[in-house]
Amino acid sequence: MTFKRTIIASVIIAATASFAFAGSHGGNPAVKARKAHMQLYAHNLGILGAMAKGETEYSADAASAAANNLVALANMSGMSYWAPGTSNAELGEETRALPAIWEAGSKAGEIAGQLREGAAALAAVAGNGQEALGPALGPVGGACAACHKDYRQSNN
Amino acid sequence: MTFKRTIIASVIIAATASFAFAGSHGGNPAVKARKAHMQLYAHNLGILGAMAKGETEYSADAASAAANNLVALANMSGMSYWAPGTSNAELGEETRALPAIWEAGSKAGEIAGQLREGAAALAAVAGNGQEALGPALGPVGGACAACHKDYRQSNN
């Protein structure tokens, strides 16, 4: 290993090691990543939902930022998170992802497309005023609910 | 409230409620969101680091997907996560974010810019072969390390 390669390896190790924050230890990496991804959907959707319902003051900047974050999240690649072999049939209670996600006829990919479209439409109007948020959140929330209904283990 | 508005509100409530997955309860929302964001950096950086070090087989598709995810993450708005009043001086052990992030002379924003540039340069070459990864990961890891060094409470 050359000196340059040693430096590069050290930087990579330092960077990855520095991410070992509390709460990140153990568990399936794909499950942890997709839960983090869902957490960020929830965070940004929560900001927009609260503004839509009038629970928090509308801010065009904050609404646009949250909607653009949803667009970014919806367009990220999930290929490493949604790996075959990571359903609740294989991993148990660590995840609520049902095997149907990966089975023939799965509409999970199609619903993900609806989420991307819904998020883009939401981002296009999120800065236009509080009244624009509710109607534009409908299709986004619908995609969330559709996927959870058929592809996530119910808590009941 | 009209029928249409009732429907919209119901969809929003259903969508946000459906995100209440295990592990997301309690805690400061900004802290939870930024930890999720960091988790996604770690996940994608881990994939690239393992390929760069030869621990996992190189895949142009997987490398590009991970690098593009880093670009998306680095370009997301952090305005709702990095809210003033959410340092470890205010929130205690829930977070390791130091007050210096928000103080005059903070270089956190500048380092975030370096991360955006590094991620873009990485994404531009990630599909070009295993050898391209190490050098391109250097600036990304450097930005991670620089921010953690000065703006995150040490565990020591």
Side-chain angles (χ1 to χ4, degrees):
Chain A
M1 185 177 268
T2 64
F3 178 71
K4 189 178 170 198
R5 288 184 66 81
T6 305
I7 293 288
I8 290 165
S10 300
V11 167
I12 294 169
I13 291 163
T16 51
S18 67
F19 276 115
F21 56 81
S24 73
H25 305 293
N28 183 282
V31 172
K32 289 195 297 181
R34 65 201 190 208
K35 284 187 178 179
H37 200 121
M38 293 295 178
Q39 178 79 39
L40 293 181
Y41 278 133
H43 177 80
N44 289 286
L45 203 51
I47 290 168
L48 292 160
M51 285 187 200
K53 289 184 275 180
E55 292 173 0
T56 56
E57 192 175 356
Y58 174 76
S59 151
D61 282 351
S64 293
N68 286 328
N69 281 354
L70 290 177
V71 171
L73 290 164
N75 284 282
M76 282 172 62
S77 168
M79 68 185 280
S80 63
Y81 313 162
W82 297 103
T86 63
S87 80
N88 66 346
E90 287 109 347
L91 299 178
E93 292 192 356
E94 186 180 356
T95 177
R96 291 163 67 193
L98 292 170
I101 293 168
W102 292 272
E103 289 170 1
S106 171
K107 297 205 182 308
E110 184 183 318
I111 296 169
Q114 292 167 6
L115 179 59
R116 282 192 291 275
E117 288 176 21
L122 172 62
V125 303
N128 293 357
Q130 190 265 347
E131 291 74 13
L133 295 182
L137 277 166
V140 174
C144 299
C147 207
H148 290 166
K149 176 179 170 290
D150 288 341
Y151 298 109
R152 189 177 65 164
Q153 179 68 51
S154 168
N155 273 332
N156 298 328
Chain B
M1 187 177 268
T2 65
F3 179 70
K4 189 178 169 198
R5 287 185 67 82
T6 306
I7 292 288
I8 291 165
S10 300
V11 167
I12 295 168
I13 291 162
T16 51
S18 67
F19 276 116
F21 56 82
S24 73
H25 305 293
N28 184 282
V31 173
K32 289 195 297 181
R34 64 200 189 209
K35 284 187 179 179
H37 200 120
M38 293 294 179
Q39 178 78 38
L40 293 181
Y41 278 133
H43 177 80
N44 289 286
L45 203 52
I47 290 168
L48 292 159
M51 286 186 200
K53 289 184 275 178
E55 292 173 358
T56 55
E57 192 175 354
Y58 174 76
S59 152
D61 282 351
S64 293
N68 286 327
N69 281 353
L70 291 177
V71 172
L73 289 163
N75 284 280
M76 282 171 62
S77 168
M79 69 184 277
S80 62
Y81 313 162
W82 297 104
T86 63
S87 80
N88 67 345
E90 287 109 348
L91 298 178
E93 291 192 355
E94 185 181 357
T95 178
R96 291 163 65 193
L98 292 170
I101 293 169
W102 292 272
E103 289 170 0
S106 171
K107 296 203 181 310
E110 184 182 320
I111 297 170
Q114 292 166 6
L115 179 58
R116 280 192 292 277
E117 288 176 21
L122 172 60
V125 302
N128 293 357
Q130 190 266 346
E131 292 74 15
L133 295 181
L137 277 165
V140 174
C144 299
C147 207
H148 290 166
K149 176 180 171 289
D150 287 342
Y151 299 109
R152 188 177 66 164
Q153 179 70 49
S154 167
N155 274 331
N156 300 328

